[in-house]
Structures are given as structure tokens and as C-alpha cells.
Amino acid sequence: FQWKTCKKPTGVRNYIKDMIMKIIEVHAEVFAVSPVFVTRVTQKVIEAVSEELTRLIQCVTEHGPYSPIQARLELLALQETVNMYLTPHASSCYKDALDDLPVLKPEHKKLQEELLNKFKSQMKFQLMCFYGDNILRSSSEA
């Protein structure tokens, strides 16, 4: 993937969705063995993912006009998905990654918000793994 030639975003890319599915898989496997360890293990996985995403964002030397939208969209999608398990360290990593990206123009912020809402709608079932009934209540109120 070339950030410099990134096309206008149409949604969260599959690698983020795949990460979410892998986190759900780990969550389910730990829960099956010992539910008491779910939070601790999930937090460690999310910290490792946030560290790696931050490292990847910080390695980008040149952005195209749409790359900040795509990067922010994906960081926010993942961050909001796993929000229940964020540690201060993981939150700090996401903040650092977002701070390293160029500031969005107002029209780009609107696109990012639309695409984030689209992601939440498409991934509602997977998001329930992290939030249960709360995701259903908040989306029905919208």
C-alpha cells in the first residue's frame, strides 16, 4: 500500500476488519479456557496492535491528499471497536498515531465520519462481541 498514491477512501480496509476478527477469535478462545483472563489477555493484544499501528503510521514519509483520511478512519474504527479494553498505553499509542497525521480539511472530516458510521453499521454483529446490547441500543437511537 502506498500512502502517497492513496485513492479517495470508500471504507475501512479489510486488514482492519481482519484484525478485529482475530481479536474476537483470541477473546473467544481465552473465554473458553478461563473467562477470568479475558480482559487481561485482550488488553495485551490490543496494546500490541496499537503499538504496531503507531509504528507503521510513524514510518510514513509522504502522504497523498487522501491518505490522512484513510489512516484516521482505520485508527478510529479500531480504537472505537476495542474501546472497552483500551489501556492508558494503548490510548496513548492511538493518540500518538493520530497526532502524527496531517490535519483534515472540514470536508474530509465529514467523509471520515460517514465512512466510520458505515463501518459501524456493516460490522454491527462483530461490534456486539465487544459491547453486547449497548451497540444495538445506541444504533437504534440514532
Side-chain angles (χ1 to χ4, degrees), residues 38-58:
V38 167
T39 298
R40 189 176 336 159
V41 171
T42 305
Q43 285 176 334
K44 291 294 183 189
V45 169
I46 290 165
E47 281 183 351
V49 168
S50 66
E51 287 171 0
E52 182 62 13
L53 284 175
T54 300
R55 187 191 67 75
L56 291 172
I57 292 295
Q58 291 173 339

Side-chain angles (χ1 to χ4, degrees), residues 19-126:
M19 270 193 260
I20 291 167
M21 293 304 295
K22 297 293 184 194
I23 294 169
I24 291 169
E25 200 175 308
V26 168
H27 186 282
E29 287 182 26
V30 172
F31 185 83
V33 174
S34 183
V36 72
F37 292 114
V38 167
T39 298
R40 189 176 336 159
V41 171
T42 305
Q43 285 176 334
K44 291 294 183 189
V45 169
I46 290 165
E47 281 183 351
V49 168
S50 66
E51 287 171 0
E52 182 62 13
L53 284 175
T54 300
R55 187 191 67 75
L56 291 172
I57 292 295
Q58 291 173 339
C59 288
V60 177
T61 57
E62 198 172 348
H63 287 279
Y66 294 114
S67 64
I69 306 167
Q70 188 72 55
R72 284 180 184 281
L73 171 64
E74 292 171 352
L75 286 167
L76 292 172
L78 188 57
Q79 182 181 22
E80 287 186 24
T81 298
V82 299
N83 191 42
M84 184 173 160
Y85 293 100
L86 284 179
T87 62
H89 177 66
S91 294
S92 175
C93 287
Y94 282 113
K95 182 185 178 323
D96 291 346
L98 290 166
D99 287 348
D100 279 355
L101 294 168
V103 177
L104 295 183
K105 298 174 185 171
E107 63 270 17
H108 289 168
K109 284 184 181 181
K110 185 175 187 235
L111 175 61
Q112 173 193 290
E113 198 59 40
E114 289 170 2
L115 294 174
L116 191 56
N117 288 334
K118 176 182 167 185
F119 164 79
K120 289 176 187 177
S121 175
Q122 290 173 337
M123 298 286 289
K124 188 183 297 186
F125 180 73
Q126 289 81 3

